[in-house]
Amino acid sequence: MQRFFIPKEDFSGDYIISRDKALVGQLKKVLRAKEGDKFWLFEGSGLEYLGQLIELSANQAKFLIIDRRQGIAEADSQIVLYQSLIKADKFEWVLQKTTELGVVAVVPVISARSIVRQVTPAKMKRYQEILKEATEQCGGAVIPELSLPVSFTEAIKHAVKQPGVKMIAWEKEEETDLIKAKDVCIFIGPEGGFTEEEIGLAKDSGITSVSLGKRILRAETAAIATLARLIT
Ligand code: SAH
């Protein structure tokens, strides 16, 4: 069944009224939806609502909530991905795939070797849209949080305050492999990798450097491989 994200403010008692042009357009033109059709709708809190379309006009869709349940596809693990900025198309790929896998939050990090060093408001909007669409598609009920880009130092300060195991993926690490845990913060570097100084700062802050294996993965592969191994 088709699933849609609906912002909280569109909920009113047992009804949902959406004037979102994209949603109304998709219902009318793409899905050719009719009154009586049912859809799973979610507002990001973790609940899902079975909405029956009771009115569809040129500019609004009205649903009656006929059932509600706890989202059935939420991961048990809480993985926060500190992803160094990489080229936008690769970054988008990371957002989409790690959302499918069940990441809870992504913090874009400006690292010493990041070629991309800023994200425009328009790009942030696009990134949010990717997270929303990936969540709709994969059956998730909570859209991962996306922070504004922060410096590497800020990211480290942020991570040390989080619960669970904190790791930084470093291709030169020879002893420690990725640690499996329920709550995890994981740093993945940019195309050119982390500098020795960054690894030093992370380690001094109590963050463990870990290996993802003997092969050097591209940044986007490293992020996805890490999520795939950690999610439970
Ligand atoms: N340019 C570097 C590699 C960067 S790979 C080089 O050629 O040596 C991009 C990022 O992916 C790294 O910063 C690291 O976080 C992660 N990564 C890739 N392969 C890895 C591995 N085998 N072990 C740990 N981290 C890895």
Side-chain angles (χ1 to χ4, degrees):
M1 195 181 297
Q2 193 77 32
R3 308 174 77 255
F4 294 111
F5 171 75
I6 306 270
K8 275 196 185 68
E9 54 270 24
D10 292 352
F11 282 71
S12 146
D14 285 336
Y15 295 94
I16 294 168
I17 300 174
S18 172
R19 294 189 181 84
D20 182 321
K21 285 198 185 86
L23 176 66
V24 173
Q26 196 178 355
L27 286 168
K28 278 185 97 77
K29 295 187 193 117
V30 183
L31 300 169
R32 300 188 183 279
K34 295 179 298 298
E35 283 156 21
D37 288 355
K38 292 174 196 151
F39 302 89
W40 279 109
L41 309 166
F42 64 99
E43 26 71 311
S45 72
L47 288 174
E48 294 180 320
Y49 305 82
L50 186 61
Q52 184 161 33
L53 191 62
I54 53 169
E55 216 181 283
L56 182 61
S57 65
N59 49 19
Q60 83 171 37
K62 187 170 178 184
F63 303 88
L64 171 66
I65 299 172
I66 55 175
D67 198 4
R68 61 196 83 201
R69 68 178 183 193
Q70 200 63 40
I72 52 165
E74 292 320 297
D76 282 339
S77 28
Q78 299 274 312
I79 317 280
V80 181
L81 172 64
Y82 293 80
Q83 173 65 60
S84 296
L85 285 177
I86 50 176
K87 288 197 192 109
D89 56 334
K90 301 283 164 37
F91 198 82
E92 289 177 10
W93 211 61
V94 167
L95 291 176
Q96 187 190 57
K97 301 304 169 205
T98 58
T99 298
E100 288 171 36
L101 288 163
V103 74
V104 292
V106 179
V107 181
V109 180
I110 308 160
S111 310
R113 294 196 187 127
S114 292
I115 302 164
V116 178
R117 305 199 68 83
Q118 60 160 355
V119 181
T120 61
K123 262 271 144 45
M124 278 306 281
K125 220 173 142 210
R126 181 167 159 75
Y127 289 169
Q128 293 287 1
E129 191 61 27
I130 289 170
L131 295 171
K132 186 191 91 166
E133 281 175 13
T135 309
E136 286 177 341
Q137 183 270 324
C138 73
V142 185
I143 301 176
E145 254 176 58
L146 176 68
S147 336
L148 286 168
V150 292
S151 68
F152 184 81
T153 325
E154 280 305 313
I156 295 282
K157 281 192 206 148
H158 183 272
V160 296
K161 286 190 237 139
Q162 306 301 313
V165 178
K166 289 115 198 171
M167 295 177 276
I168 183 163
W170 189 34
E171 60 284 358
K172 295 198 182 117
E173 173 59 46
E174 287 178 349
E175 272 156 31
T176 314
D177 286 335
L178 192 68
I179 303 159
K180 292 222 162 99
K182 191 169 166 287
D183 296 321
V184 166
C185 290
I186 176 82
F187 281 76
I188 304 288
E191 292 91 343
F194 290 117
T195 61
E196 302 275 340
E197 291 74 36
E198 286 173 326
I199 296 292
L201 175 63
K203 286 186 175 174
D204 290 347
S205 312
I207 296 176
T208 311
S209 70
V210 294
S211 165
L212 300 174
K214 293 203 170 59
R215 295 192 171 197
I216 295 175
L217 309 172
R218 286 188 184 250
E220 66 276 20
T221 316
I224 294 159
T226 302
L227 258 290
R229 288 185 212 176
L230 290 176
I231 283 293
T232 50

